[in-house]
Amino acid sequence: MSKTLVAYFSASGVTAKLAKLLADTIGADLHEIRPEKPYSSADLDWMNKKSRSSVEMNDKSFRPAVANKVENMEQYNRVFVGFPIWWYVAPTIINTFLEQYDLTGKKVIPFVTSGSSGMGNTNAELTESCKGAVLCDGRRFNTNVKATELKAWAENF
């Protein structure tokens, strides 16, 4: 029997809501990716070039520390990874999360939230962080997505 994990990072609660719905809909375990240092609203001010998120996203090598780890990651063969789109890619904390595990043989499936941006270069930016895994094409979801749509999408993996 396959085990599925839905791991997510949510800065404002939007991605958390989607991740919980996905996990409930497909019967997966749920894991919140929490930054060691939580983001404040000032940190998330993308209009400020000196805000924490702007500084992190301008340095592709930056890896914010994650406060928690998934126990027994080896038990999962599918890992849905959810996050908000920042600057047309995943926040660098997603790279941190993925790089701390041996993902060999696992399917990694991104799902994202965004006010208006698409997936952009998300998969290209995540490829190196998913060594040994099959990085599947991700998808952006609206906040009003229905469980039936999520289930139909997830069944493709």
Side-chain angles (χ1 to χ4, degrees), residues 45-58:
D45 180 3
W46 60 273
M47 300 286 285
N48 178 353
K49 292 184 189 307
K50 294 183 181 183
S51 73
R52 179 175 160 204
S53 59
S54 295
V55 170
E56 290 176 4
M57 295 306 292
N58 282 321

Side-chain angles (χ1 to χ4, degrees), residues 4-151:
T4 301
L5 176 68
V6 173
Y8 70 94
F9 165 70
S10 187
S12 66
V14 174
T15 306
K17 181 180 170 192
L18 176 61
K20 290 171 186 169
L21 179 60
L22 177 60
D24 288 347
T25 300
I26 65 173
D29 293 342
L30 186 66
H31 174 80
E32 180 182 6
I33 302 166
R34 291 192 323 267
E36 198 169 86
K37 180 183 175 201
Y39 290 88
S40 69
S41 56
D43 291 336
L44 299 171
D45 180 3
W46 60 273
M47 300 286 285
N48 178 353
K49 292 184 189 307
K50 294 183 181 183
S51 73
R52 179 175 160 204
S53 59
S54 295
V55 170
E56 290 176 4
M57 295 306 292
N58 282 321
D59 179 357
K60 298 293 182 191
S61 68
F62 194 84
R63 296 294 184 263
V66 174
N68 57 332
K69 287 189 81 167
V70 174
E71 291 190 33
N72 303 316
M73 178 63 102
E74 65 278 355
Q75 70 181 315
Y76 300 105
N77 62 344
R78 289 191 314 170
V79 181
F80 289 87
V81 181
F83 47 88
I85 288 290
W86 287 4
W87 290 261
Y88 303 100
V89 294
T92 54
I93 194 168
I94 299 302
N95 300 87
T96 306
F97 171 77
L98 294 168
E99 290 167 2
Q100 60 188 344
Y101 302 103
D102 177 1
L103 299 172
T104 303
K106 298 181 187 312
K107 284 186 181 179
V108 176
I109 309 110
F111 65 97
V112 306
T113 57
S114 169
S116 61
S117 301
M119 294 290 291
N121 291 326
T122 299
N123 273 34
E125 297 284 334
L126 291 178
T127 299
E128 284 299 309
S129 298
C130 294
K131 288 188 179 11
V134 175
L135 178 59
C136 301
D137 287 335
R139 182 165 166 199
R140 178 188 170 270
F141 288 95
N142 292 321
T143 57
N144 59 351
V145 66
K146 303 286 185 237
T148 52
E149 184 180 347
L150 283 175
K151 184 174 183 176

